[in-house]
């Protein structure tokens, strides 16, 4: 009987700590979102892995939140702990391009000062927030402007 009570107390304590951890993580996430024009993104390497980001591979990461602070991309990693990664990155000349296989997603390559490349993808609605200070890169891969029809009648 005592083991049943002890097991139920341990299980209740575990559930309570899990709920508190989730609530704390959600609160930190909301605080991050209020800091600037945030966009949701997924990351993967497009070359050598950047230092300080051991878990990044050639496959797409889970969804993360990020924003630009001047020329520095601030990424919030981790669902519970507020780990922030600051990358001094620049958008490559390729600009923004459509990503096949993901409906409406766009992507951009970022070059870090150490030479490593990251590929970042975000929903099409986050185009301007994703390129941040490199607004000219957001203008590539837009739909073609409609052209006026030529008047074929001779005068």
């Amino acid at each position: 009987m005592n083991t049943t009570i002890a097991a139920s107390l341990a299980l209740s304590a575990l559930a309570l700590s899990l709920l508190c951890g989730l609530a704390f993580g959600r609160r930190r996430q909301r605080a991050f979102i209020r800091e600037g024009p945030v966009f949701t993104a997924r990351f993967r390497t497009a070359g050598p892995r950047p230092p300080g980001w051991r878990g990044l591979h050639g496959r797409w990461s889970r969804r993360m939140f990020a924003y630009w602070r001047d020329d520095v991309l601030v990424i919030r990693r981790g669902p519970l702990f507020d780990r922030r990664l600051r990358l001094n990155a620049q958008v490559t000349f390729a600009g923004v391009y459509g990503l096949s296989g993901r409906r409406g997603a766009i992507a951009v390559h970022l070059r870090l000062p150490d030479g490593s490349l990251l590929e970042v993808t975000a929903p099409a609605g986050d185009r301007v927030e994703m390129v941040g200070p490199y607004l000219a890169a957001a203008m590539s891969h837009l739909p073609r402007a409609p052209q006026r029809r030529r008047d074929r009648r001779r005068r």
Side-chain angles (χ1 to χ4, degrees):
M1 178 102 168
N2 286 339
T3 58
T4 308
I5 293 172
S8 65
L9 282 175
L11 189 60
S12 297
L14 180 66
L16 182 64
S17 64
L18 181 65
L19 285 174
C20 288
L22 289 174
F24 179 72
R26 185 70 176 165
R27 185 176 178 200
R28 298 291 297 203
Q29 178 182 1
R30 286 184 185 148
F32 184 83
I33 290 172
R34 283 191 300 260
E35 288 182 19
V38 175
F39 62 95
T40 58
R42 294 180 187 267
F43 299 87
R44 73 177 176 186
T45 59
R49 188 177 349 173
W53 199 342
R54 290 178 290 139
L56 190 64
H57 301 289
R59 293 177 309 195
W60 289 110
S61 68
R62 65 172 182 77
R63 186 178 63 115
M64 298 181 203
F65 290 99
Y67 66 87
W68 286 95
R69 176 76 59 210
D70 297 325
D71 287 346
V72 177
L73 181 65
V74 181
I75 304 166
R76 182 183 186 271
R77 297 177 49 209
L80 292 180
F81 303 110
D82 193 17
R83 295 181 307 221
R84 294 179 186 209
L85 183 63
R86 290 169 176 81
L87 301 174
N88 188 6
Q90 293 181 342
V91 174
T92 62
F93 292 111
V96 177
Y97 54 92
L99 200 60
S100 62
R102 293 187 183 256
R103 190 178 57 211
I106 56 171
V108 67
H109 278 117
L110 298 177
R111 180 171 306 283
L112 302 178
D114 65 350
S116 54
L117 281 172
L118 289 180
E119 189 174 10
V120 183
T121 183
D126 290 342
R127 173 189 302 259
V128 174
E129 289 85 3
M130 183 173 78
V131 295
Y134 305 100
L135 188 59
M139 299 308 150
S140 63
H141 196 67
L142 292 175
R144 295 181 71 109
Q147 295 179 356
R148 286 180 53 166
R149 289 186 172 181
R150 290 185 179 176
D151 190 12
R152 296 188 184 250
R153 295 179 289 176
R154 296 198 181 214
R155 293 182 188 191

